[in-house]
Amino acid sequence: MYDIERYLNIRSAYGGSFSPNGETLSFLMDTTGTSQVWSIDGPGQWPDQHTFYDERVTFASWSPERRELAFGMDEGGNERDQLYLLGPDTGEVTNLTQRADAKHWWGGWSHDGERFAFTSNRRDNSVFDVYVQARDAVGNDAELVYEGDGWLNVGGWSPDDTRLIVTEAYSNFDQDVYVLDIESGKLTHVTPHEDSIRYQSVTWGPDGENLYLVTDDGADTLYLARLDLDTREMTMVEEGGEWELDGVAIDHDTGRLVYSQNVDGYTELVTGTFADPDTVETFPQPDLPHGIAGGVSFGPDAERFALTVTGSADNTNVYVVEMETGEAERWTYAATAGIPRESFVEPELVHYPTFDGRQIPAFFTLPETDTGHGETPVIVDIHGGPESQRRPSFSGVKQYLVQHGYAVFEPNVRGSAGYGKAYGHLDDVENRMDSVKDIEAAVEWLHDHPAVDPDRVVALGGSYGGFMVLAALTEYPELWAAGIDIVGIANFVTFLENTGEWRRELREAEYGSLEDDREFLESISPINNIDAIQAPLFVLHGENDPRVPVGEAEQIVEKAREQGVPVRKLIFDDEGHGFSKLENRVQAYTEIVDFLEEHV
């Protein structure tokens, strides 16, 4: 039996990127406690570390022509990423953006490696503009090529480096796509539509005359489509069917591609090449562990590609796949802190009935100590988003809980992504509390399970999942032995008033607006129903959280204490929306374990 700190020292390697000659693979790994840039020259070789910061590195991307990488890093979890240039052979680092007050979202290298693109809210905190910057320029030398008025991202350079894909998000289920001519600054809208339609994972076709993307235009689930830029005609290339297609990556020089399908949370990967613009000639399916895979980086001539792979019982690592054969080889060996891999437990995929007859998917992990006689406590772990999805990825915390006698139940309640457009909209605005009813139904299902002790069921969740914890504790107080709220929403009104200006409109599309729905938002806010709470509560938050401001934690703690509820509070002054530093994660989860031992 290992303690929680040991499990938190299980490492992750992810975000692989091939160097121009394909001989070196960079990746991020958290060996030092925060994710830093590392590289490796072959499978299983000893890696080199290139950055040494206390703060997390958020991405790293090789130049297509030079031995240099761009990477991003924020400060204290404030999500105001700055972009940097790293010379891996010299260790020299240059701050490219030098605007600590602004967010910078990486948009990719030009094919010649002379420029890169990004979006930033440096002009106006509430909107994002498109910038292009020379690789040897810094700070205000970036060229503002388009002034935006919303949530903009750059999706990549055209094959001839004259145009950029720009996407605008109105909500997680509604986006638009534009093509920006860099020289003239002309922005062309290529996806005019009504109602909510997803246009995601947009990438250039090999000829620069088409875009490929996943969309649910005219369908419930995401499918792979080709958009002809001359005619604006959308053609289905591969259907999603019952399950969604996650995304697509295309090598411009060869026309080779990789796309993935989300099958009840698990990734099924397809590789191939274009026989013609609407036909994919597939290669053998990659031989990868059963779990989740994504983040494709092609090597030279797309003969192979790197991607990140994780599974419930496999910590996260980078694999390299041979395109034509599907043979896969693990290149990184992120440590498991000396804990035997065979001790990690896989979940069971279950479906339980809820109040309106729907079947709600969930992952249920039972400890080996379970006797089947109603003695096992359960952690109901609720994901954030809300348009996110609990998938079978590795969690050291979950493995610790299971090894120490807890079962872990992870539901994908209505509103979760991965199950189609209709399912994703079931919790919008006035239907918000229907998702909380799905949690009540989950506990009822657990009560009927022979393993579960019905008096020891705990609600745990982060971000929107933190709201779900608080709502479950106030709406159904008799069901819970304890609740753990991590960076959660307590009051939708104050949350929307104080969240980052660039996020407010996007969040109002999901939750309801302050102008039109304030009374409803107040009615469903746990802070206004706190008199019902009975279970002990632990609230954790980051002082620098730009998404869910720390005031959400402060007010729920104060109100719960006024009700005489046992409350524990833990605020980290150097964290944001979650806990990125190892020492903070150790403290947070050590205290969570203590809290569970005391109350459960």
Side-chain angles (χ1 to χ4, degrees), residues 29 35 60 72 92 109 116 129 156 198 204 292 299 323 335 351 381 426 438 502 512 574:
M29 188 162 64
S35 297
E92 182 179 358
W109 291 99
F116 59 92
D129 303 324
R198 288 176 286 177
W204 290 95
I292 311 172
M323 282 288 289
H351 297 81
D381 186 358
L426 286 175
D438 290 343
W502 60 90
D574 58 348

Side-chain angles (χ1 to χ4, degrees), residues 258-585:
V258 181
Y259 66 88
S260 58
Q261 189 167 30
N262 177 348
V263 179
D264 230 344
Y266 292 88
T267 297
E268 290 190 3
L269 214 61
V270 178
T271 63
T273 187
F274 284 112
D276 60 56
D278 296 327
T279 306
V280 177
E281 182 181 310
T282 60
F283 297 140
Q285 187 172 19
D287 182 21
L288 293 166
H290 191 45
I292 311 172
V296 169
S297 172
F298 291 105
D301 300 320
E303 293 181 353
R304 60 183 181 175
F305 63 92
L307 80 169
T308 302
V309 179
T310 182
S312 294
D314 289 293
N315 63 320
T316 306
N317 277 286
V318 179
Y319 285 68
V320 173
V321 177
E322 300 295 326
M323 282 288 289
E324 293 188 3
T325 66
E327 294 180 5
E329 190 168 16
R330 181 175 157 192
W331 273 46
T332 66
Y333 283 80
T336 62
I339 301 173
R341 292 181 181 274
E342 58 270 21
S343 71
F344 300 145
V345 182
E346 293 268 9
E348 177 187 3
L349 177 61
V350 301
H351 297 81
Y352 66 89
T354 189
F355 68 94
D356 59 359
R358 298 178 191 277
Q359 293 289 316
I360 305 297
F363 293 97
F364 189 33
T365 312
L366 278 169
E368 294 181 358
T369 55
D370 172 57
T371 64
H373 293 94
E375 299 172 348
T376 301
V378 182
I379 311 293
V380 178
D381 186 358
I382 310 165
H383 70 68
E387 308 102 326
S388 184
Q389 182 186 21
R390 187 54 53 88
R391 303 184 67 179
S393 59
F394 186 83
S395 166
V397 171
K398 180 171 75 172
Q399 293 296 333
Y400 168 85
L401 292 170
V402 172
Q403 292 297 334
H404 285 73
Y406 293 92
V408 178
F409 190 84
E410 303 165 278
N412 281 309
V413 298
R414 68 190 62 217
S416 299
Y419 305 98
K421 180 191 306 185
Y423 193 81
H425 283 305
L426 286 175
D427 67 340
D428 287 357
V429 192
E430 68 273 6
N431 297 320
R432 176 65 43 209
M433 301 308 285
D434 285 353
S435 62
V436 186
K437 291 180 182 178
D438 290 343
I439 297 297
E440 179 199 23
V443 178
E444 291 175 351
W445 185 88
L446 288 167
H447 283 180
D448 292 335
H449 196 285
V452 173
D453 182 345
D455 295 325
R456 293 195 292 164
V457 180
V458 179
L460 179 149
S463 189
Y464 174 79
F467 155 73
M468 292 287 280
V469 167
L470 296 173
L473 264 59
T474 54
E475 294 292 318
Y476 307 103
E478 71 282 356
L479 298 181
W480 307 101
I484 301 168
D485 160 29
I486 302 172
V487 298
I489 301 167
N491 184 333
F492 276 110
V493 172
T494 56
F495 158 68
L496 289 171
E497 287 175 339
N498 297 311
T499 192
E501 292 180 29
W502 60 90
R503 301 185 74 249
R504 185 171 300 116
E505 184 177 346
L506 199 72
R507 293 294 83 207
E508 286 188 330
E510 168 71 26
Y511 299 133
S513 71
L514 290 171
E515 181 178 353
D516 298 328
D517 305 293
R518 180 181 289 264
E519 184 176 346
F520 172 73
L521 292 170
E522 289 178 346
S523 73
I524 66 169
S525 294
I527 193 74
N528 297 323
N529 302 302
I530 197 67
D531 57 328
I533 192 171
Q534 299 174 12
L537 177 64
F538 191 6
V539 177
L540 303 93
H541 219 103
E543 183 71 36
N544 305 319
D545 192 339
R547 302 189 186 194
V548 180
V550 69
E552 297 298 299
E554 301 286 2
Q555 60 180 308
I556 199 69
V557 167
E558 179 183 354
K559 291 293 186 181
R561 283 176 174 165
E562 290 177 1
Q563 297 296 318
V565 173
V567 181
R568 184 184 295 202
K569 180 179 75 170
L570 180 59
I571 308 294
F572 292 101
D573 61 10
D574 58 348
E575 295 283 11
H577 196 63
F579 313 130
S580 63
K581 298 177 174 64
L582 177 60
E583 61 181 343
N584 293 340
R585 295 198 303 272

Side-chain angles (χ1 to χ4, degrees), residues 155 165 167-169 171-177 191 197-203 211-217 221-225 234 244-249 387 417-418:
I165 295 169
T167 60
E168 181 171 11
S171 74
N172 285 358
F173 280 89
D174 190 20
Q175 297 91 35
D176 256 321
V177 181
T191 57
I197 298 177
R198 288 176 286 177
Y199 300 101
Q200 299 175 353
S201 186
V202 189
T203 186
L211 299 181
Y212 289 86
L213 65 158
V214 295
T215 181
D216 57 8
D217 187 1
T221 57
L222 295 169
Y223 59 90
L224 176 61
M234 189 87 70
E244 310 235 271
L245 297 189
D246 281 322
V248 60
E387 308 102 326

